[in-house]
DNA sequence: ACTACACGCGCC
DNA sequence: AGGGCGCGTGTAGT
């Protein structure tokens, strides 16, 4: 398959390298060029950063079949233990090392000049291909890079399409809970009333409940001794201030993170458009740097409503990480328990544990490194029952404690101890031995979780990539937004916006894509990845028993 | 005035 | 002493 390299040149120009043939285009001519080439034979577009190139193409109505995101792949290869780092060295290599994600606020191809503006895609691509080919894990790495790049396409497409968002619904929800929208800088009425109530109970007329020090001091004056002001701590206290104070904190959080200002900033033309960073976290999970896309609370999801005649198909994987652990460790007993919709219940039926809750505590404890309490006790028993699975995370933890890096199934390496992004303390003072020990154990918990969370992220990328292709094939023509399309992704959950009459077929494709992802990653030991699928008008109705609500007409 | 950090909370 | 994130806030440091 052809690889076409796109590099920005000084001025409004783009260099195109296609099978050795070099061409120079004006930026404005690029969408037409790409559209023509896509219609011809859909090459793999090789560019420095998908967000930078694809956003303008999407805006021009051009959809791309496949790409290779050099920045993302450079990061993966740099850290991959199975890659000979010297093969990545060469002209401009240091610039690729330093390359940051494209500014999400500037969806333009040519911006202010700096050293990283005009990197040569063809040079870097040649190095990456050579590095993968020379690796003993070339096949897995190749899959990882392809999945990663496809994820970048999905991310750009989701930002382009946006989550359908009804501002009136959101506004009504806010008004019901907080009172009418206040002038800038003021508290909404109901929030202010709660503040007054708290001040009265604590006999602190000047208290600003948003200030932790003030709040702590006021609580102490009222004879309430608490180490902090978090909700779980307050709930342990028996005092009339607890109820209004906790309610104040909840509503204040809603007001500041997902209130009217959030709507103003992130919702436009009936669409919520967050900005995603594929592989933005060290484990390969996505992060988001706009709109808090990966943490918007259940509370406001009722405002995500499909267009008229359309529905949302919402699907999430049940117990993704334990299933991934079963697959990557080749633990047949755990894979057997993973048959069916509820892995934890499968462990109970297997006779491994007494209750579902015990199974959950033990598995999560093993993956997170719990050492004490109920969770720690369950781990010991389950290790005998599922030695391969529990042994894998245990070995990852030991490796970390020895200061070694670990890798995911497809070969992503974790950041090294004391360097890179894991723990930002480059030259920590020569701490005492206890401190060093604590640090190593913390790194061990990180590496323990890294192998599972990172491989789960790889599964999810494969799921997304295959689903993206399947959705595109469902309909013969029309622009992206007129077809079933992904609008949201959150670690183990996807939301597809689709014409209502295609909902069942979309649901089937989501399920089929999950099977494909499982087979791709765990060919030697098949593991089930059952999904909870809902067809709903509003995101808030997903996952509820009793089927879809009646259409609201 | 601006930046950096800790906190508390939201999501998985 | 359970892993990964982002965000808004208040406060301390510059």
């Amino acid at each position: 398959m052809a690889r076409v390299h796109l590099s920005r040149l000084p001025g409004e120009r783009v260099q195109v390298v296609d099978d050795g043939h070099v061409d120079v285009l004006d930026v404005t001519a690029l969408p037409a060029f790409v559209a023509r080439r896509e219609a011809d034979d859909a090459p793999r577009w090789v560019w420095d950063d998908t967000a930078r190139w694809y956003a303008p193409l999407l805006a021009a109505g051009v959809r791309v079949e496949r790409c290779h995101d050099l920045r993302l792949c450079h990061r993966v290869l740099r850290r991959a233990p199975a890659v000979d780092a010297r093969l990545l060295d060469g002209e401009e290599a240091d610039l690729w090392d330093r390359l940051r994600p494209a500014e999400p606020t500037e969806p333009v191809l040519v911006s202010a000049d700096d050293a990283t503006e005009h990197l040569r895609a063809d040079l870097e691509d040649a190095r990456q291909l050579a590095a993968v080919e020379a690796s003993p894990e070339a096949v897995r790495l190749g899959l990882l890079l392809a999945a990663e790049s496809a994820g970048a396409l999905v991310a750009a497409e989701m930002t382009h399409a946006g989550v359908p968002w009804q501002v009136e619904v959101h506004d009504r929800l806010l008004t019901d809970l907080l009172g009418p929208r206040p002038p800038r800088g003021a508290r909404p009425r109901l929030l202010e009333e709660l503040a007054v109530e708290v001040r009265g109970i604590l006999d602190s007329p000047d208290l600003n409940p948003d200030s932790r020090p003030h709040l702590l001091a006021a609580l102490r004056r009222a004879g309430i001794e608490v180490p902090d002001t978090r909700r779980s701590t307050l709930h342990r206290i028996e005092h009339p201030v607890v109820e209004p104070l906790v309610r104040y904190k909840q509503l204040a959080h809603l007001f500041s993170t997902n209130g009217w200002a959030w709507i103003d900033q992130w919702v436009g033309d009936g669409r919520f458009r967050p900005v995603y960073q594929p592989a933005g976290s060290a484990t390969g999970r996505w992060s988001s740097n706009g709109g808090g896309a990966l943490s918007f609370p259940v509370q406001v999801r009722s405002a995500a409503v499909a267009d008229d005649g359309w529905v949302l198909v919402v699907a999430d994987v049940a117990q993704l990480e334990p299933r991934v652990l079963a697959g990557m460790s080749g633990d047949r007993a755990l894979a057997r328990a993973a048959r069916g919709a509820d892995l934890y219940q499968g462990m109970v039926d297997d006779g491994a544990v007494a209750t579902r809750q015990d199974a959950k505590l033990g598995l999560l404890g093993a993956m997170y490194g719990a050492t004490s309490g109920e969770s720690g006790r369950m781990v010991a028993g389950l290790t005998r029952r599922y030695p391969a699975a529990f042994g894998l995370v245990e070995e990852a933890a030991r490796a970390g404690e020895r200061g070694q890096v670990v890798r995911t199934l497809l070969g992503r390496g974790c950041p090294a101890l004391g360097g890179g992004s894991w723990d930002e303390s480059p030259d920590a003072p020569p701490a005492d031995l206890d401190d060093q020990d604590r640090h190593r154990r913390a790194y061990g918990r990180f590496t323990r979780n890294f192998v599972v969370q990172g491989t789960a992220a790889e599964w999810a990328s494969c799921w997304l990539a295959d689903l993206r292709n399947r959705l595109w094939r469902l309909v013969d023509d029309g622009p992206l937004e007129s077809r079933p399309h992904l609008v949201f992704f959150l670690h183990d959950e996807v939301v597809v916006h689709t014409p209502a009459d295609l909902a069942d077929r979309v649901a089937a494709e989501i399920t089929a894509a999950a099977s494909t992802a499982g087979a791709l990653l765990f060919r030697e030991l098949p593991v089930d990845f059952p999904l909870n699928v809902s067809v709903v008008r509003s995101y808030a109705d997903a996952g509820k028993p009793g089927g879809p609500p009646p259409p609201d007409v």
Side-chain angles (χ1 to χ4, degrees), chain A residues 395-449:
Chain A
E395 183 42 48
R398 297 289 160 261
E401 288 169 7
R402 288 194 299 268
Q404 298 172 330
V405 297
V406 296
R407 69 186 79 179
T408 60
L409 181 65
L410 294 185
R412 181 192 300 275
C414 72
L417 176 62
S421 68
W422 179 70
D423 195 69
E424 295 296 347
S425 47
D427 284 298
D432 58 76
L433 286 176
D434 272 4
D435 207 54
Q436 257 179 28
D437 204 47
R438 257 200 310 278
H439 196 242
R440 293 206 158 231
R441 276 209 296 275
Y443 186 66
R445 285 192 299 277
F446 168 70
T447 55
R448 172 197 289 272
N449 187 251

Side-chain angles (χ1 to χ4, degrees), chain A residues 161-347:
Chain A
V163 182
W165 203 266
Q166 294 202 352
V167 173
E168 318 79 62
V169 173
H170 192 163
D171 180 67
R172 200 181 319 132
L173 180 150
L174 293 174
T175 304
D176 287 348
L177 289 168
L178 300 166
R181 178 173 190 169
R184 210 178 127 65
R187 281 197 186 90
R189 182 170 54 79
L190 295 175
L191 199 53
E192 184 58 38
E193 285 173 13
L194 280 170
V196 168
E197 188 180 346
V198 168
R199 290 190 195 108
I201 296 173
L202 293 179
D203 198 21
S204 303
D206 297 324
L207 171 66
N208 171 13
D210 293 325
S211 164
R212 280 181 306 277
H214 292 186
L215 187 53
L216 272 177
L219 289 169
R220 295 236 167 83
R221 275 200 303 279
I224 305 169
E225 284 300 327
V226 280
D228 55 64
T229 64
R230 69 179 65 135
R231 187 151 69 227
S232 57
T233 304
L234 293 173
H235 271 310
R236 289 199 291 266
I237 306 302
E238 194 86 40
H239 192 282
V241 81
V242 170
E243 194 270 335
L245 179 55
V246 165
R247 203 141 51 85
Y248 174 87
K249 286 162 71 74
Q250 271 177 324
L251 291 178
H253 190 258
L254 172 66
F255 173 59
S256 64
T257 58
N258 294 101
W260 292 277
W262 181 90
I263 298 176
D264 290 347
Q265 188 172 2
W266 297 109
V267 182
D269 300 325
R271 292 291 187 268
F272 166 42
R273 300 175 198 278
V275 180
Y276 301 93
Q277 293 294 340
S281 78
T283 56
R285 270 190 176 182
W286 288 26
S287 63
S288 137
N289 59 3
L294 274 46
S295 64
F296 74 82
V298 178
Q299 218 170 2
V300 300
R301 291 188 183 182
S302 57
V305 180
D307 291 349
D308 286 341
W310 289 52
V311 291
L312 300 175
V313 183
V314 182
D316 72 294
V317 190
Q319 307 110 19
L320 173 60
E321 293 188 358
R323 291 172 193 278
V324 164
L325 175 58
M328 69 188 297
S329 66
D331 195 308
R332 296 188 176 278
L334 192 56
R336 204 163 46 241
R339 285 188 198 142
D342 187 344
L343 179 143
Y344 301 133
Q345 187 58 45
M347 292 166 69

Side-chain angles (χ1 to χ4, degrees), chain A residues 100-144:
Chain A
R100 297 283 147 250
E103 270 302 316
T105 51
E106 299 263 336
V108 291
L109 280 172
V110 181
S111 58
D113 273 330
D114 72 52
T116 58
E117 278 297 300
H118 310 297
L119 292 172
R120 286 275 303 276
D122 51 335
L123 299 183
E124 171 65 13
D125 190 37
R127 287 193 291 265
Q128 293 192 8
L129 286 170
V132 170
E133 188 169 1
S135 167
E137 304 204 10
V139 174
R140 288 179 174 186
L141 282 172
L143 176 56
L144 174 55

